[in-house]
Amino acid sequence: MAKKKSSKSKAKELDRLDHIAAAADIYGKRSFDNYAQIRSVAETIRDELCVWLSPKEQCVFLVPAEGPFGAQNYRSAAYDVSGQGYLPLKPISFGLAVRISHDKDFMRLKVTCRKEGDAMFVSVEGGRDVRVPLPATQDGLMPLFEGIYSHIIDFFTHSVEEYDHGDYGTSEIGFDIQRVAE
């Protein structure tokens, strides 16, 4: 026969549950703050990078970091934490679709952000971190924009050089380049 728990042991269990719930609540608030700040930086990157590249037309979109994408902003679905039940407290990745031609060709770059203190550290395609002061401004983002620009130009020039010198048959995984309908 199972023993009945005393009211004192039930109170201890509730106290422990209250501690867990309080810790989870603090975690939840921090994870939402992390997501909100990263999303704000991502949207600023999208808007300001597009103006920096070409003020004439929409040329940068927030897209999922993996899988199919179109030339549109995916809102919350652009972030790798989208659809998860409990928002994790971790660095967050998203895709930047950057227009690379006048024929609707886009190159997707995977971007990962992590917040540390009063700055966001942004990494493109697993490259070096670029420190962006918060709140993000076009001036604070300039080193990142120059890095993205160089990253894209280097991909094309390096690939052409390898082809021209007969050394382009590697097993390296390239960028995700797609022609998409707008």
Side-chain angles (χ1 to χ4, degrees):
M1 187 166 123
K3 286 187 179 180
K4 278 191 160 182
K5 292 185 179 182
S6 70
S7 61
K8 193 173 190 178
S9 69
K10 285 182 185 178
K12 281 185 182 181
E13 286 176 15
L14 289 177
D15 288 346
R16 289 184 187 118
L17 181 57
D18 289 343
H19 282 41
I20 291 171
D25 184 55
I26 292 167
Y27 178 97
K29 288 175 183 173
R30 295 300 190 286
S31 63
F32 181 77
D33 178 66
N34 181 58
Y35 170 76
Q37 290 199 50
I38 289 172
R39 185 168 177 169
S40 175
V41 167
E43 291 171 355
T44 302
I45 290 169
R46 174 200 61 208
D47 297 343
E48 297 296 332
L49 178 60
C50 190
V51 169
W52 187 76
L53 290 171
S54 174
K56 298 182 287 188
E57 57 190 303
Q58 181 68 35
C59 58
V60 180
F61 295 96
L62 289 174
V63 301
E66 297 177 359
F69 70 94
Q72 66 183 34
N73 289 308
Y74 283 74
R75 296 186 285 276
S76 62
Y79 304 92
D80 68 350
V81 296
S82 177
Q84 295 186 15
Y86 204 80
L87 194 60
L89 183 54
K90 66 176 194 127
I92 296 175
S93 297
F94 56 90
L96 273 182
V98 179
R99 192 173 200 156
I100 57 169
S101 75
H102 296 292
D103 294 324
K104 300 179 185 172
D105 296 309
F106 285 81
M107 176 184 282
R108 175 174 40 201
L109 304 172
K110 183 177 180 181
V111 179
T112 303
C113 295
R114 80 174 191 288
K115 183 182 174 298
E116 286 186 20
D118 63 349
M120 191 69 64
F121 288 84
V122 182
S123 171
V124 177
E125 296 286 328
R128 69 176 183 83
D129 288 342
V130 175
R131 184 184 186 280
V132 175
L134 294 175
T137 62
Q138 187 177 40
D139 288 341
L141 290 167
M142 200 55 58
L144 178 65
F145 294 169
E146 290 168 354
I148 290 171
Y149 179 75
S150 294
H151 194 68
I152 293 170
I153 293 292
D154 288 349
F155 167 76
F156 289 113
T157 57
H158 183 72
S159 296
V160 168
E161 285 175 12
E162 285 183 340
Y163 173 78
D164 287 348
H165 298 333
D167 189 26
Y168 68 103
T170 67
S171 60
E172 182 179 316
I173 296 174
F175 287 97
D176 191 1
I177 300 175
Q178 293 186 25
R179 179 159 294 166
V180 295
E182 288 189 79

PDB file of all heavy atoms in Angstrom, residues 40-53:
ATOM      1  N   SER A  40      15.900  42.630 -33.887  1.00  0.00           N
ATOM      2  CA  SER A  40      16.044  44.059 -34.178  1.00  0.00           C
ATOM      3  C   SER A  40      17.329  44.328 -34.965  1.00  0.00           C
ATOM      4  O   SER A  40      17.324  45.083 -35.949  1.00  0.00           O
ATOM      5  CB  SER A  40      16.043  44.860 -32.868  1.00  0.00           C
ATOM      6  OG  SER A  40      16.287  46.216 -33.124  1.00  0.00           O
ATOM      7  N   VAL A  41      18.425  43.705 -34.556  1.00  0.00           N
ATOM      8  CA  VAL A  41      19.702  43.867 -35.271  1.00  0.00           C
ATOM      9  C   VAL A  41      19.584  43.295 -36.679  1.00  0.00           C
ATOM     10  O   VAL A  41      20.027  43.907 -37.648  1.00  0.00           O
ATOM     11  CB  VAL A  41      20.864  43.215 -34.486  1.00  0.00           C
ATOM     12  CG1 VAL A  41      22.112  43.095 -35.337  1.00  0.00           C
ATOM     13  CG2 VAL A  41      21.158  44.019 -33.216  1.00  0.00           C
ATOM     14  N   ALA A  42      18.961  42.125 -36.822  1.00  0.00           N
ATOM     15  CA  ALA A  42      18.803  41.500 -38.144  1.00  0.00           C
ATOM     16  C   ALA A  42      18.008  42.404 -39.078  1.00  0.00           C
ATOM     17  O   ALA A  42      18.380  42.586 -40.248  1.00  0.00           O
ATOM     18  CB  ALA A  42      18.118  40.142 -38.006  1.00  0.00           C
ATOM     19  N   GLU A  43      16.927  42.986 -38.588  1.00  0.00           N
ATOM     20  CA  GLU A  43      16.110  43.866 -39.423  1.00  0.00           C
ATOM     21  C   GLU A  43      16.870  45.139 -39.787  1.00  0.00           C
ATOM     22  O   GLU A  43      16.755  45.636 -40.911  1.00  0.00           O
ATOM     23  CB  GLU A  43      14.791  44.175 -38.720  1.00  0.00           C
ATOM     24  CG  GLU A  43      13.893  42.947 -38.651  1.00  0.00           C
ATOM     25  CD  GLU A  43      12.673  43.111 -37.778  1.00  0.00           C
ATOM     26  OE1 GLU A  43      12.519  44.161 -37.101  1.00  0.00           O
ATOM     27  OE2 GLU A  43      11.833  42.174 -37.760  1.00  0.00           O
ATOM     28  N   THR A  44      17.672  45.638 -38.868  1.00  0.00           N
ATOM     29  CA  THR A  44      18.500  46.815 -39.162  1.00  0.00           C
ATOM     30  C   THR A  44      19.560  46.462 -40.200  1.00  0.00           C
ATOM     31  O   THR A  44      19.812  47.238 -41.131  1.00  0.00           O
ATOM     32  CB  THR A  44      19.138  47.366 -37.876  1.00  0.00           C
ATOM     33  OG1 THR A  44      18.092  47.691 -36.941  1.00  0.00           O
ATOM     34  CG2 THR A  44      19.966  48.599 -38.146  1.00  0.00           C
ATOM     35  N   ILE A  45      20.187  45.288 -40.057  1.00  0.00           N
ATOM     36  CA  ILE A  45      21.170  44.831 -41.052  1.00  0.00           C
ATOM     37  C   ILE A  45      20.498  44.777 -42.424  1.00  0.00           C
ATOM     38  O   ILE A  45      21.026  45.298 -43.406  1.00  0.00           O
ATOM     39  CB  ILE A  45      21.763  43.455 -40.682  1.00  0.00           C
ATOM     40  CG1 ILE A  45      22.672  43.568 -39.458  1.00  0.00           C
ATOM     41  CG2 ILE A  45      22.527  42.861 -41.863  1.00  0.00           C
ATOM     42  CD1 ILE A  45      23.093  42.224 -38.874  1.00  0.00           C
ATOM     43  N   ARG A  46      19.352  44.134 -42.498  1.00  0.00           N
ATOM     44  CA  ARG A  46      18.627  44.004 -43.775  1.00  0.00           C
ATOM     45  C   ARG A  46      18.373  45.382 -44.404  1.00  0.00           C
ATOM     46  O   ARG A  46      18.703  45.611 -45.565  1.00  0.00           O
ATOM     47  CB  ARG A  46      17.293  43.294 -43.554  1.00  0.00           C
ATOM     48  CG  ARG A  46      16.418  43.237 -44.804  1.00  0.00           C
ATOM     49  CD  ARG A  46      14.961  42.992 -44.494  1.00  0.00           C
ATOM     50  NE  ARG A  46      14.414  44.049 -43.669  1.00  0.00           N
ATOM     51  CZ  ARG A  46      13.401  43.867 -42.823  1.00  0.00           C
ATOM     52  NH1 ARG A  46      12.826  42.699 -42.690  1.00  0.00           N
ATOM     53  NH2 ARG A  46      12.961  44.878 -42.105  1.00  0.00           N
ATOM     54  N   ASP A  47      17.803  46.281 -43.641  1.00  0.00           N
ATOM     55  CA  ASP A  47      17.415  47.586 -44.178  1.00  0.00           C
ATOM     56  C   ASP A  47      18.618  48.439 -44.550  1.00  0.00           C
ATOM     57  O   ASP A  47      18.677  49.011 -45.637  1.00  0.00           O
ATOM     58  CB  ASP A  47      16.543  48.332 -43.168  1.00  0.00           C
ATOM     59  CG  ASP A  47      15.226  47.618 -42.892  1.00  0.00           C
ATOM     60  OD1 ASP A  47      14.828  46.736 -43.691  1.00  0.00           O
ATOM     61  OD2 ASP A  47      14.601  47.927 -41.857  1.00  0.00           O
ATOM     62  N   GLU A  48      19.584  48.527 -43.654  1.00  0.00           N
ATOM     63  CA  GLU A  48      20.737  49.397 -43.885  1.00  0.00           C
ATOM     64  C   GLU A  48      21.701  48.828 -44.925  1.00  0.00           C
ATOM     65  O   GLU A  48      22.298  49.574 -45.694  1.00  0.00           O
ATOM     66  CB  GLU A  48      21.462  49.689 -42.566  1.00  0.00           C
ATOM     67  CG  GLU A  48      20.616  50.442 -41.549  1.00  0.00           C
ATOM     68  CD  GLU A  48      20.224  51.839 -42.006  1.00  0.00           C
ATOM     69  OE1 GLU A  48      20.964  52.467 -42.803  1.00  0.00           O
ATOM     70  OE2 GLU A  48      19.158  52.321 -41.566  1.00  0.00           O
ATOM     71  N   LEU A  49      21.868  47.495 -44.954  1.00  0.00           N
ATOM     72  CA  LEU A  49      22.737  46.887 -45.957  1.00  0.00           C
ATOM     73  C   LEU A  49      22.156  47.119 -47.353  1.00  0.00           C
ATOM     74  O   LEU A  49      22.893  47.421 -48.296  1.00  0.00           O
ATOM     75  CB  LEU A  49      22.918  45.387 -45.701  1.00  0.00           C
ATOM     76  CG  LEU A  49      23.766  44.621 -46.721  1.00  0.00           C
ATOM     77  CD1 LEU A  49      25.193  45.184 -46.797  1.00  0.00           C
ATOM     78  CD2 LEU A  49      23.794  43.134 -46.373  1.00  0.00           C
ATOM     79  N   CYS A  50      20.861  47.009 -47.473  1.00  0.00           N
ATOM     80  CA  CYS A  50      20.216  47.233 -48.775  1.00  0.00           C
ATOM     81  C   CYS A  50      20.462  48.665 -49.239  1.00  0.00           C
ATOM     82  O   CYS A  50      20.839  48.887 -50.392  1.00  0.00           O
ATOM     83  CB  CYS A  50      18.724  46.946 -48.673  1.00  0.00           C
ATOM     84  SG  CYS A  50      17.917  46.923 -50.275  1.00  0.00           S
ATOM     85  N   VAL A  51      20.301  49.639 -48.356  1.00  0.00           N
ATOM     86  CA  VAL A  51      20.555  51.043 -48.716  1.00  0.00           C
ATOM     87  C   VAL A  51      22.018  51.236 -49.072  1.00  0.00           C
ATOM     88  O   VAL A  51      22.354  51.927 -50.034  1.00  0.00           O
ATOM     89  CB  VAL A  51      20.135  51.986 -47.558  1.00  0.00           C
ATOM     90  CG1 VAL A  51      20.624  53.406 -47.800  1.00  0.00           C
ATOM     91  CG2 VAL A  51      18.619  51.958 -47.380  1.00  0.00           C
ATOM     92  N   TRP A  52      22.910  50.588 -48.321  1.00  0.00           N
ATOM     93  CA  TRP A  52      24.348  50.722 -48.553  1.00  0.00           C
ATOM     94  C   TRP A  52      24.745  50.119 -49.901  1.00  0.00           C
ATOM     95  O   TRP A  52      25.585  50.664 -50.608  1.00  0.00           O
ATOM     96  CB  TRP A  52      25.101  50.057 -47.403  1.00  0.00           C
ATOM     97  CG  TRP A  52      26.581  50.251 -47.403  1.00  0.00           C
ATOM     98  CD1 TRP A  52      27.264  51.375 -47.036  1.00  0.00           C
ATOM     99  CD2 TRP A  52      27.579  49.279 -47.771  1.00  0.00           C
ATOM    100  NE1 TRP A  52      28.620  51.158 -47.150  1.00  0.00           N
ATOM    101  CE2 TRP A  52      28.842  49.890 -47.599  1.00  0.00           C
ATOM    102  CE3 TRP A  52      27.517  47.968 -48.221  1.00  0.00           C
ATOM    103  CZ2 TRP A  52      30.031  49.224 -47.865  1.00  0.00           C
ATOM    104  CZ3 TRP A  52      28.700  47.308 -48.482  1.00  0.00           C
ATOM    105  CH2 TRP A  52      29.937  47.935 -48.300  1.00  0.00           C
ATOM    106  N   LEU A  53      24.137  48.987 -50.265  1.00  0.00           N
ATOM    107  CA  LEU A  53      24.463  48.338 -51.536  1.00  0.00           C
ATOM    108  C   LEU A  53      23.846  49.061 -52.732  1.00  0.00           C
ATOM    109  O   LEU A  53      24.498  49.240 -53.751  1.00  0.00           O
ATOM    110  CB  LEU A  53      23.986  46.875 -51.528  1.00  0.00           C
ATOM    111  CG  LEU A  53      24.739  45.918 -50.624  1.00  0.00           C
ATOM    112  CD1 LEU A  53      24.005  44.581 -50.560  1.00  0.00           C
ATOM    113  CD2 LEU A  53      26.172  45.730 -51.101  1.00  0.00           C
TER     114      LEU A  53
END
